[in-house]
Amino acid sequence: MTIETLPNGLQLLQSDEFQKLGQDSILLAAFAAPRRSARVLDLGCGTGALALSVYRPDLSLTGLDIQEGAVAFFRQSIARNGVKIDAKVGDLREIGTIFPHGSFDYVVCNPPYFSAGSGKASPDRGRAAARMDMEASIEEVAAAAAYVLHDGGKCAFVFRPERLCALLHAVQQVHLIPKKLRFVHQKPEKRPSAVLLECRKGSADGMIVEPPFFCCNSSGEYTVEYLKIYGK
């Protein structure tokens, strides 16, 4: 077991058995903008990296994951930090049996990037499930988000740029309308390594494509925006 301190000062307990904290969760937490006192759900929360990164005292936060072991680690982190977050074990494909329809204001999700059978497989099933849609497809993730959001509610995802079309198709099929998109580049001259997308349920068309986010400049030094997110 290891302990990682997040940019907001909270501590995350981790295990080699499950997917560990990555840059994408930190950037998604900075990108997401739930309103004050919002009810927020982290779909597929794993050990809680994203939920803990999003945490604000005014938010009503819940995390849901199918892996009991990952949720157990998350609950330990919640207790260690003395924060109020509800961590539940459950299958998002059965979301209707877990949460009432329209019961959340905002959903955050770092979904599986690759379809099953593609990408680099992990020998550990817990980490593989986080990387590939072994437990839920992007279409099922989008449907779960749409179910728990009320009309006008928002959701934010981080995904692989090469699968952006799949993500856009999935969200629009369930009336989650893309409203804000931003590409993440490790350096200005590099192709994007991730894409951040915010949608609104039942909204009219009209999406803002924000300026790209650069982690480093061409010399390899962290950008001011990147350092600000990490509190440095």
Side-chain angles (χ1 to χ4, degrees), residues 128-197:
R131 286 175 55 86
M132 301 183 184
D133 53 12
M134 296 168 62
E135 306 295 352
S137 66
I138 189 58
E139 291 80 11
E140 289 167 329
V141 169
Y147 179 85
V148 298
L149 286 172
H150 58 71
D151 285 342
K154 296 180 179 181
C155 54
F157 303 92
V158 60
F159 213 55
R160 295 287 292 187
E162 59 266 32
R163 294 199 68 206
L164 177 57
C165 287
L167 175 60
L168 291 173
H169 178 73
V171 295
Q172 291 180 95
Q173 287 290 104
V174 291
H175 308 293
L176 297 174
I177 308 303
K179 301 299 292 183
K180 185 173 66 171
L181 182 146
R182 193 174 196 189
F183 288 102
V184 176
H185 300 250
Q186 295 305 309
K187 288 185 176 181
E189 64 272 20
K190 298 290 187 180
R191 293 177 178 176
S193 58
V195 62
L196 301 162
L197 179 70

Side-chain angles (χ1 to χ4, degrees), residues 56-187:
R56 298 193 321 245
D58 64 284
L59 298 178
S60 177
L61 264 169
T62 301
L64 176 72
D65 201 276
I66 197 171
Q67 302 175 91
E68 292 185 13
V71 173
F73 267 93
F74 187 14
R75 287 171 177 162
Q76 290 182 61
S77 293
I78 292 169
R80 183 182 184 91
N81 289 288
V83 294
K84 188 177 180 180
I85 302 175
D86 189 15
K88 291 182 176 293
V89 177
D91 188 340
L92 64 80
R93 293 169 296 186
E94 300 173 356
I95 199 78
T97 67
I98 305 170
F99 301 114
H101 181 260
S103 55
F104 287 91
D105 304 302
Y106 207 101
V107 171
V108 291
C109 184
N110 185 350
Y113 286 158
F114 305 105
S115 57
S118 66
K120 183 179 179 181
S122 168
D124 179 85
R125 183 172 179 84
R127 285 178 291 177
R131 286 175 55 86
M132 301 183 184
D133 53 12
M134 296 168 62
E135 306 295 352
S137 66
I138 189 58
E139 291 80 11
E140 289 167 329
V141 169
Y147 179 85
V148 298
L149 286 172
H150 58 71
D151 285 342
K154 296 180 179 181
C155 54
F157 303 92
V158 60
F159 213 55
R160 295 287 292 187
E162 59 266 32
R163 294 199 68 206
L164 177 57
C165 287
L167 175 60
L168 291 173
H169 178 73
V171 295
Q172 291 180 95
Q173 287 290 104
V174 291
H175 308 293
L176 297 174
I177 308 303
K179 301 299 292 183
K180 185 173 66 171
L181 182 146
R182 193 174 196 189
F183 288 102
V184 176
H185 300 250
Q186 295 305 309
K187 288 185 176 181

